[in-house]
């Protein structure tokens, strides 16, 4: 699978709004890549998700990015709703995230605070949880075993 997530804010020219026309997901055995596209095929959101199974089956959202000009317009919420639908399709127990502010690159050169990310995920129903067994998140503060989980109802 080819990964085409290159995100530099100046690399695309957005129309006046960031209306979503399509959410595209590419899957393989271990990963799911998501792109959110406008009707002009401009990428305004992207996510990289790992599938895992330890003590529970889960999707781990490692990357969730929204173009800086499209933030607070529902793009991230629509992406997370699509990820919850994918979790049901994949028949997993939970979706795991760690809302850490990581090293800056691409769209992350315009970072969102950990507090704002936590509020965003809480609004979508994520609750504090222990990471799935054998999963750690590498952050600027070191390795962490706690994050936020959305339990998937089957």
């Amino acid at each position: 699978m080819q990964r085409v997530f290159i995100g530099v804010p100046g690399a695309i020219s957005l129309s006046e709004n960031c209306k979503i026309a399509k959410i595209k997901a590419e899957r393989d055995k271990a990963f799911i890549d998501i792109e959110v596209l406008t009707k002009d095929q401009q990428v305004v959101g992207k996510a990289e998700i790992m599938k895992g199974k330890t003590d529970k089956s889960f999707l781990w959202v490692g990357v969730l990015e929204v173009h800086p000009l499209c933030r607070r317009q529902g793009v991230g919420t629509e992406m997370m709703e699509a990820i919850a639908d994918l979790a049901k399709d994949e028949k997993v127990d939970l979706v795991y995230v760690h809302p850490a502010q990581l090293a800056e690159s691409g769209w992350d050169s315009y970072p969102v605070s950990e507090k704002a990310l936590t509020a965003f995920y809480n609004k979508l129903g994520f609750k504090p949880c222990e990471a799935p067994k054998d999963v750690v998140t590498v952050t600027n503060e070191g390795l962490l075993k706690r994050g936020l989980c959305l339990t998937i109802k089957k």
Side-chain angles (χ1 to χ4, degrees):
M1 172 174 43
Q2 181 182 12
R3 294 181 186 253
V4 292
F5 290 154
I6 300 171
V8 180
I12 65 174
S13 60
L14 293 172
S15 60
E16 296 215 5
N17 65 49
C18 299
K19 188 172 179 183
I20 298 170
K22 180 168 124 179
I23 297 178
K24 181 174 79 172
E26 292 186 23
R27 303 183 200 197
D28 66 19
K29 285 187 174 191
F31 296 95
I32 302 171
D33 288 338
I34 293 178
E35 287 186 329
V36 179
L37 305 165
T38 65
K39 68 178 181 174
D40 301 329
Q41 300 301 299
Q42 302 287 335
V43 177
V44 294
K46 53 194 172 184
E48 294 180 11
I49 302 155
M50 184 187 82
K51 300 179 209 177
K53 182 164 177 64
T54 55
D55 54 330
K56 295 180 179 181
S57 60
F58 60 92
L59 295 182
W60 181 5
V61 182
V63 173
L64 181 78
E65 294 181 300
V66 174
H67 191 285
L69 298 177
C70 296
R71 292 181 183 160
R72 305 197 60 79
Q73 296 184 44
V75 175
T77 299
E78 291 226 19
M79 257 197 304
M80 289 308 299
E81 288 171 355
I83 291 168
D85 289 342
L86 284 169
K88 291 175 187 169
D89 290 347
E90 295 285 336
K91 297 180 175 40
V92 299
D93 299 312
L94 60 92
V95 176
Y96 175 76
V97 298
H98 188 276
Q101 184 176 329
L102 301 175
E104 297 178 3
S105 67
W107 291 345
D108 283 338
S109 296
Y110 300 86
V112 178
S113 73
E114 187 171 329
K115 182 178 177 180
L117 288 169
T118 299
F120 167 74
Y121 288 118
N122 287 340
K123 179 182 80 167
L124 297 172
F126 282 77
K127 306 285 184 219
C129 66
E130 291 293 322
K133 185 178 178 187
D134 300 327
V135 172
V136 294
T137 301
V138 180
T139 70
N140 294 337
E141 292 90 39
L143 302 179
L144 298 179
K145 291 284 297 167
R146 293 198 50 77
L148 300 172
C149 293
L150 178 67
T151 302
I152 303 301
K153 296 182 172 87
K154 296 180 182 181

